Amino acid sequence: MTAHDHSHEHEHEHEHGHEHGHSHGHGHGHGHGHPAGIRGVLRGLFLPHSHDAADSIDDALEASREGVRALKISLFLLLATTVLQFAVVLLSGSVALLADTVHNFSDALTAVPLWIAFVLGRRAATRRYTYGLGRAEDLAGLFIVAVVALSAIVAAWQSIDRFLSPHPLHNLWWVVAAGFVGFAGNEVVAVYRIRVGQRIGSAALVADGVHARLDGFTSLAVVLGAIGALLGFPLADPIVGLLISIAIVVLLAGTIRSIGRRLLDGIEPELLHRVEHALEHTPGVRGVTEVQLRWVGHRLQGGATIALGELSLAAAETIAIDATTRVKADVGSLDDFRIRSTP
């Protein structure tokens, strides 16, 4: 009785603990080929990876909890920053600071749908939603993109209106102080969200972190506008407000690509290489003919077809289980991986 005779498909969903410790000595170095120099620095700041498969959290529930915790903390930090900045807007009449405050407030609000998405993602699969509700996280990512775009439009509108109807600015040193407060608050939130998003594999949370980082740099731009006004160039304020809007739209393109790729089941090539390497180095596996992976929220699902040769059903089953365990040990955020075997 061979695997070939029965043409079986082993669909293993065994939750083997990673204590097996298959240390494969992965020196295969899946380099990402990132640009160096200033371009590389900018890419790291505004287009960071949404995961690190080697260091990601294995347990789905723990990952969701950590994501919700990050959203809670960053929400309250950003709301506090927004309140402080809005008080200065009332004192100064700065349109650039108003644009920045509106953007900060929108960033705080984006935590709410993402929070809801993390909670929905914990729900078990049903007969209607057979893969669960993990995709809610990617839909929340689309909402984040829409809110960021809307905030850019509001900022541009306010700036153009100030060009047409100039108003005197007051308490500009308060504007400078508020700009630095905005930068500090947003950068703290950005670092926290991006770090947690990378650990749990959440493109939406990383996008939200990049959004906060954009807010931080627009706050610094507000400082430049206020300094320009102090030096006798009052139009510096609406000019900076308009530049903020343009910068947001330009940098938003990278986030749209990241979220869109997830919704279209796009996968990072280095993850695919990692899975292929684990399968190819499993004893008994003669070849790997197909590997499929996709993100569902911040968790991975997938499967593979491997060639085993003429083996008994029991032997093929043992190799398939070993291969599944090795893959899950290599890709920590992988929940479900089904292996099919051929002769």
Side-chain angles (χ1 to χ4, degrees):
M1 183 181 298
T2 66
H4 176 71
D5 293 331
H6 291 274
S7 186
H8 61 279
E9 287 190 355
H10 297 298
E11 296 189 349
H12 302 292
E13 301 177 38
H14 305 291
E15 295 300 326
H16 297 295
H18 298 177
E19 64 271 11
H20 291 268
H22 297 292
S23 57
H24 309 311
H26 293 159
H28 44 294
H30 302 306
H32 305 315
H34 298 326
I38 295 177
R39 187 182 172 194
V41 171
L42 291 175
R43 184 182 180 89
L45 285 174
F46 299 109
L47 293 173
H49 277 294
S50 58
H51 77 283
D52 187 335
D55 299 328
S56 58
I57 298 175
D58 293 349
D59 183 74
L61 186 58
E62 182 187 346
S64 294
R65 284 174 179 164
E66 188 159 337
V68 170
R69 187 185 308 118
L71 290 170
K72 285 181 182 178
I73 293 172
S74 60
L75 172 62
F76 291 117
L77 280 173
L78 286 177
L79 285 177
T81 301
T82 301
V83 169
L84 288 173
Q85 287 190 307
F86 186 67
V88 178
V89 168
L90 296 178
L91 288 171
S92 64
S94 169
V95 69
L97 184 59
L98 176 61
D100 190 43
T101 303
V102 169
H103 198 53
N104 280 335
F105 184 63
S106 72
D107 191 30
L109 290 183
T110 57
V112 176
L114 194 50
W115 187 342
I116 294 171
F118 272 110
V119 173
L120 290 176
R122 295 178 185 176
R123 294 189 176 182
T126 65
R127 290 186 65 81
R128 181 177 292 275
Y129 298 100
T130 55
Y131 285 101
L133 295 172
R135 287 283 191 204
E137 188 178 321
D138 297 319
L139 291 177
L142 285 181
F143 177 81
I144 291 169
V145 168
V147 169
V148 175
L150 180 61
S151 66
I153 293 171
V154 171
W157 176 73
Q158 289 287 342
S159 299
I160 293 170
D161 180 66
R162 188 57 57 92
F163 268 118
L164 299 176
S165 304
H167 296 287
L169 300 178
H170 309 284
N171 302 305
L172 288 174
W173 286 114
W174 280 103
V175 176
V176 172
F180 282 119
V181 167
F183 172 75
N186 277 286
E187 185 59 20
V188 168
V189 168
V191 170
Y192 186 35
R193 284 180 177 176
I194 291 172
R195 186 172 297 169
V196 174
Q198 288 174 327
R199 286 195 66 216
I200 68 176
S202 172
L205 188 54
V206 170
D208 219 13
V210 171
H211 183 191
R213 176 158 284 160
L214 286 172
D215 283 348
F217 280 91
T218 55
S219 294
L220 287 182
V222 168
V223 173
L224 294 177
I227 292 174
L230 283 168
L231 295 175
F233 184 52
L235 285 180
D237 185 65
I239 288 174
V240 167
L242 199 57
L243 290 176
I244 287 172
S245 305
I246 296 171
I248 291 169
V249 171
V250 171
L251 293 171
L252 192 60
T255 302
I256 293 173
R257 283 196 298 270
S258 177
I259 299 294
R261 188 181 298 119
R262 291 284 181 104
L263 288 171
L264 292 173
D265 286 339
I267 195 70
E268 296 81 357
E270 61 267 21
L271 276 179
L272 208 63
H273 294 158
R274 190 182 294 273
V275 172
E276 289 170 342
H277 182 273
L279 292 172
E280 289 166 354
H281 287 74
T282 301
V285 174
R286 293 189 174 184
V288 180
T289 57
E290 181 186 40
V291 175
Q292 291 177 305
L293 284 175
R294 69 172 182 174
W295 287 100
V296 178
H298 57 274
R299 308 300 294 175
L300 280 165
Q301 296 178 347
T305 302
I306 57 176
L308 298 179
E310 296 290 341
L311 297 173
S312 68
L313 185 61
E317 180 86 12
T318 299
I319 294 172
I321 291 173
D322 185 26
T324 301
T325 303
R326 286 171 176 263
V327 169
K328 288 189 174 183
D330 261 14
V331 185
S333 52
L334 183 63
D335 283 341
D336 180 43
F337 193 78
R338 298 166 184 253
I339 288 186
R340 299 171 292 278
S341 61
T342 60

